[in-house]
Amino acid sequence: MSDRTLAARLPGILIPRLKVLAVAMTGALWLAACSTPPAADGDEEVEVAPSTPVPATPSTPGTSSPPPFVLTPPGPSTGGVSPPPPTLPLPTTARFVRSPWNSLPGWHTDTVEDTWVAFQRNCDAIVARAGKTVATNASAWVATGPWMPVCAAAKDLARRGPQAGQVRRFLEERLEPWVVGTARGDAVTGLVTGYYEPLVQASRVQGGVYQWPLYTAPADLLTIDLGSMYPELTGKRVRGKLVGNRVVPYDSRAEIENSPQRPPAIVWVNDPVDAFFLQVQGSGRAELVDGPNRGGVIRVAYADHNGHPYVSIGKWLVDQGQLTLAQASMQNIKAWARANPGRVREMLNANPAMVFFREEAVNDVGDGPRGAFGVPLTPGRSIAVDPSIVPLGSPVFLATTYPNTNQPLTHMAFAQDTGAAIKGAARADMFWGFGAQAGEQAGRMKQPGKMWVLWPRGSAPQSAR
């Protein structure tokens, strides 16, 4: 994404004091890696799934003042036998350990031909970056050098049209698996969650039931890239605004809503919980069912956020005694909101975090939004990762299970996105696609998983730092 830098917005006198400023602001502003918004992380307490019903009866108001708001057998390989596994230290307790192709569970059954379009898109992004000066946040991307001959060969194969089996042979001959493992070479087991692209009903104009805005990024929002001046803070950013010659935390959700100068709204949504969950996912589609452009569908893509920590509204309702933890599903939160219209704003403001959006056209209904790697996400084949461990743009092989089952889900994917809670070795957040069915799968996805980075032969995968 494109961020306004400190140098563009702050007086020069403040720049030498930025490191002190970063420390001072840590308690007030949210430091995080640039990526999808803080809530778009697959770890929301609320699952998009049926749960214990909750009676739609009004609550007793005014019992306590709310905190800020929140929801919540392997086949043969053509690659040959690898030498003894070298290791590459990572900035965690894990290492990359070279592995043979036949160590990947389910590799021979994966329909890797289905990844070919995504592989070429991934290569296009890598090649486009080669030789260019890029923003500091892009330092978490793959190093372009080892990939240039691979991508050139992939383009040549695509031009000729791969025949049956050629894609798998190409991958096995050109790439090599490196397991995210321990020092002994054992694969690390991480957590695999899911996210998706929801659909909301919206209008271009405020009115009637369309009262819940999806805002563009405010003109006065500063995003300060700390890594541009202090390499040890690479990937860390703070967000705020100028008041006089001082940088202060940006407004909370409640402060934005109560301000006479709110950011422009792209659309107004007819359901507050739908609007909230779209913010949790980080992007979505809006069907314009009223007002100008009625009947059209647009994408509202993540642009930025206000820097405040995310708080789960599901947890808030539990803390307020309005729901039990077993009842805290999206469906029951919606039921509570319908039964308590006078407290909806109170619930929402319990979460100080606010996500801002930009409008995009939906050019291909099968594509997802653009992730942190800058290419459209591919349902089931794109994942968010911790870029301090797995560089963005890396093809990976993921071995996990389908949501709430022991049925193996083993296939090739691409590290094309990030998320604030996607931290640690073998941690992944799978993009399930668009719509309600994708939402059902994403909401239930909390499975153990193992990960192999697929890297060009002759080179070792770099960590992002």
Side-chain angles (χ1 to χ4, degrees):
M1 66 184 123
S2 173
D3 286 319
R4 291 174 287 278
T5 64
L6 179 67
R9 299 298 305 273
L10 288 182
I13 192 172
L14 291 183
I15 293 178
R17 291 184 276 169
L18 181 55
K19 197 166 189 178
V20 176
L21 173 70
V23 174
M25 294 175 70
T26 300
L29 282 79
W30 183 67
L31 284 106
C34 172
S35 67
T36 50
D41 58 27
D43 275 347
E44 169 58 45
E45 295 106 303
V46 179
E47 292 187 352
V48 187
S51 63
T52 306
V54 59
T57 55
S59 65
T60 303
T63 54
S64 63
S65 58
F69 148 90
V70 190
L71 272 175
T72 138
S77 167
T78 61
V81 178
S82 297
T87 61
L88 181 71
L90 295 176
T92 65
T93 57
R95 295 172 179 263
F96 289 129
V97 182
R98 184 155 50 188
S99 306
W101 281 101
N102 59 15
S103 70
L104 277 58
W107 167 251
H108 70 297
T109 60
D110 184 23
T111 54
V112 293
E113 292 79 10
D114 294 346
T115 71
W116 193 231
V117 171
F119 190 95
Q120 292 172 76
R121 280 182 176 175
N122 210 66
C123 268
D124 287 345
I126 294 171
V127 171
R129 182 175 183 257
K132 292 184 178 180
T133 300
V134 295
T136 303
N137 65 288
S139 64
W141 285 26
V142 295
T144 59
W147 283 97
M148 299 306 286
V150 175
C151 290
K155 187 173 184 179
D156 181 63
L157 179 58
R159 187 165 43 243
R160 291 183 283 113
Q163 304 300 309
Q166 279 189 297
V167 170
R168 191 184 309 277
R169 288 195 296 273
F170 175 90
L171 296 172
E172 291 180 339
E173 291 168 359
R174 293 282 179 170
L175 307 180
E176 192 168 33
W178 294 70
V179 69
V180 180
T182 67
R184 297 184 307 172
D186 302 321
V188 171
T189 299
L191 175 67
V192 183
T193 52
Y195 66 117
Y196 77 111
E197 189 178 23
L199 176 69
V200 297
Q201 308 295 308
S203 174
R204 290 283 193 184
V205 296
Q206 183 180 14
V209 297
Y210 301 98
Q211 296 293 330
W212 309 98
L214 299 179
Y215 292 124
T216 59
D220 60 344
L221 175 65
L222 291 175
T223 299
I224 304 167
D225 186 351
L226 303 179
S228 62
M229 284 170 282
Y230 303 100
E232 68 270 27
L233 297 177
T234 294
K236 301 298 184 182
R237 298 177 172 192
V238 293
R239 285 161 171 87
K241 66 178 181 179
L242 275 177
V243 175
N245 67 344
R246 295 175 60 245
V247 176
V248 301
Y250 201 78
D251 297 344
S252 67
R253 177 185 293 267
E255 290 167 336
I256 292 170
E257 293 294 356
N258 291 328
S259 172
Q261 295 180 323
R262 292 180 291 177
I266 299 175
V267 292
W268 300 82
V269 181
N270 66 344
D271 185 287
V273 180
D274 283 348
F276 173 82
F277 264 94
L278 193 148
Q279 292 202 26
V280 170
Q281 299 305 315
S283 66
R285 302 184 194 183
E287 181 182 6
L288 303 174
V289 296
D290 195 25
N293 309 119
R294 180 177 179 178
V297 176
I298 63 169
R299 172 173 284 127
V300 282
Y302 171 80
D304 216 325
H305 63 87
N306 67 345
H308 284 261
Y310 169 79
V311 180
S312 165
I313 58 172
K315 184 178 184 300
W316 181 81
L317 287 168
V318 171
D319 290 345
Q320 294 281 304
Q322 300 300 304
L323 299 177
T324 68
L325 192 58
Q327 292 172 333
S329 68
M330 182 176 70
Q331 292 87 345
N332 287 338
I333 293 171
K334 282 188 172 186
W336 185 91
R338 286 193 298 267
N340 299 273
R343 298 193 67 190
V344 168
R345 184 69 68 184
E346 178 190 2
M347 176 185 71
L348 296 180
N349 287 343
N351 178 22
M354 175 75 81
V355 173
F356 306 113
F357 299 93
R358 65 178 181 271
E359 180 177 341
E360 294 181 353
V362 181
N363 297 316
D364 187 328
V365 296
D367 282 347
R370 293 181 182 271
F373 192 60
V375 299
L377 303 178
T378 302
R381 297 289 185 172
S382 293
I383 60 173
V385 298
D386 182 345
S388 71
I389 297 175
V390 177
L392 285 174
S394 302
V396 301
F397 187 81
L398 190 64
T400 183
T401 54
Y402 281 92
N404 286 350
T405 75
N406 293 320
Q407 180 183 354
L409 174 54
T410 54
H411 65 198
M412 181 174 165
F414 299 87
Q416 294 175 330
D417 209 356
T418 62
I422 312 306
K423 301 299 179 187
R427 178 72 172 93
D429 200 24
M430 180 180 291
F431 177 67
W432 280 91
F434 164 71
Q437 184 175 359
E440 289 287 330
Q441 294 287 72
R444 294 187 174 100
M445 187 77 181
K446 279 194 176 181
Q447 313 297 112
K450 298 178 181 181
M451 188 185 299
W452 291 256
V453 174
L454 307 182
W455 204 256
R457 286 187 177 273
S459 62
Q462 92 278 7
S463 66
R465 293 178 183 173

